[in-house]
Amino acid sequence: MTAPLRLGTRGSALAMAQSGHVAEALTAATGRPVELVEVVTAGDRSTAPVHRLGVGVFVSALRDALTAREIDFAVHSYKDLPTAGAPGLHIAAVPQRQDPRDALVARDGRTLAELPPGARVGTGALRRIAQLHALGMQLEVTPIRGNVDTRLGRVLGPGADLDAVVLARAGLARLGRTDVITETLDPMLMLPAPAQGALAVECRIDDQDLVELLGVLDHAPSRAAVVAERALLATLEAGCSAPVAAYGELAEGDAGEEIYLRGAVISPDGTRDLRLSRTGTPADAAEIGKALAAELLELGADSILGQEGHAGPGTQQFGSTE
């Protein structure tokens, strides 16, 4: 009998759920059995705010386990990956992306527009904090940490101390908790993080048989959108605490399929909000992202990023999907 492939995953409910989905899809497509191997990361052990944890805090332990051949492949929330690649490792597949939008979970079924001035809204991402401030609704935005259930408990639990929380819709969907969403936020109000809702299936580059096997899970439109978004992020060289957002969508254009990419850089207090868009072909995904980043830099995005510390290329860490 063929030995099961060892899939490394974080131990949170969300990480286990998304890794389980990948394992089931791979087995269904190839017949190969897969077992989940829990790997504890530095981010799981820390209680510090997400944007202060440092680069790759949710992925470095998984990559170490891959390099040490303790696991065969790993599944990451793609937005957790630094933009610089890891030596000897390869993103073999980007499965079809979940809805990348953010979601509001509020008391009494309220939407964002129904929250009163002074309402306490919790989120773990500076990108969301900045965009909430930019709305000018006089909300009290509170940084929070914890897994999905912990965050939901801050609004829906017996000890609730917040009026609402903002989370990635994809995480709630993977956990079967979309029933608690009171509003899925329009990207015009809340542009997602680069690669939000996407998974990265990573293995060793020298394991060509596995690279080919995992390739059956790759979804070309999802990969193209993510490549464009992360190229923008890498070109901006945004530091770990810089609020950068990007969202690429594929649609039929006059000359065939094209990517419509939106990007934004927002100051943490919301007073400066630069937003631009650009289109191009999926084959030029990386160039679209780079060009849009260059336009944002021409408008002064570097001065916003400089407020947060310019950490250099490959140093982005925007927090877990949770």
Side-chain angles (χ1 to χ4, degrees), residues 235-236 274 276 292-303 305:
T235 305
L236 288 174
L274 302 179
L276 292 173
L292 186 55
E295 292 181 55
L296 286 166
L297 289 169
E298 287 176 7
L299 290 178
D302 54 342
S303 64
L305 299 175

Side-chain angles (χ1 to χ4, degrees), residues 131 134 187-191 263-266 273-277 296:
Q131 291 186 86
M188 294 295 290
L189 296 176
M190 182 72 65
L191 201 64
V265 179
I266 314 100
D273 188 351
L274 302 179
R275 295 174 186 258
L276 292 173
S277 64
L296 286 166

Side-chain angles (χ1 to χ4, degrees), residues 40-62:
V40 178
T41 73
D44 298 315
R45 291 190 294 264
S46 175
T47 58
V50 169
H51 63 274
R52 298 174 190 263
L53 288 177
V55 181
V57 70
F58 293 109
V59 303
S60 57
L62 286 166

Side-chain angles (χ1 to χ4, degrees), residues 99-106 110 112 121-123 127-128 132 152 164-173 177-178 180-186 190 192 196:
D99 188 333
R101 294 176 294 175
D102 286 302
L104 182 79
V105 179
R110 290 180 173 178
L112 187 61
V121 181
T123 179
R127 170 190 60 83
R128 296 184 186 123
L132 287 169
L152 292 179
V165 291
V166 181
L167 307 93
R169 193 186 196 284
L172 292 169
R177 299 300 308 274
T178 55
V180 300
I181 297 173
T182 56
E183 183 182 8
T184 298
L185 299 175
D186 190 312
M190 182 72 65
Q196 184 159 300

Side-chain angles (χ1 to χ4, degrees), residues 29-43:
T30 69
R32 286 295 298 272
V34 179
E35 64 177 6
L36 300 188
V37 178
E38 183 179 342
V39 177
V40 178
T41 73

Side-chain angles (χ1 to χ4, degrees), residues 204-224:
R204 292 180 295 277
I205 199 166
D206 62 4
D207 193 345
Q208 284 301 309
D209 288 343
L210 187 55
V211 169
E212 183 176 346
L213 189 77
L214 295 174
V216 302
L217 301 178
D218 197 59
H219 184 248
S222 297
R223 183 183 281 268

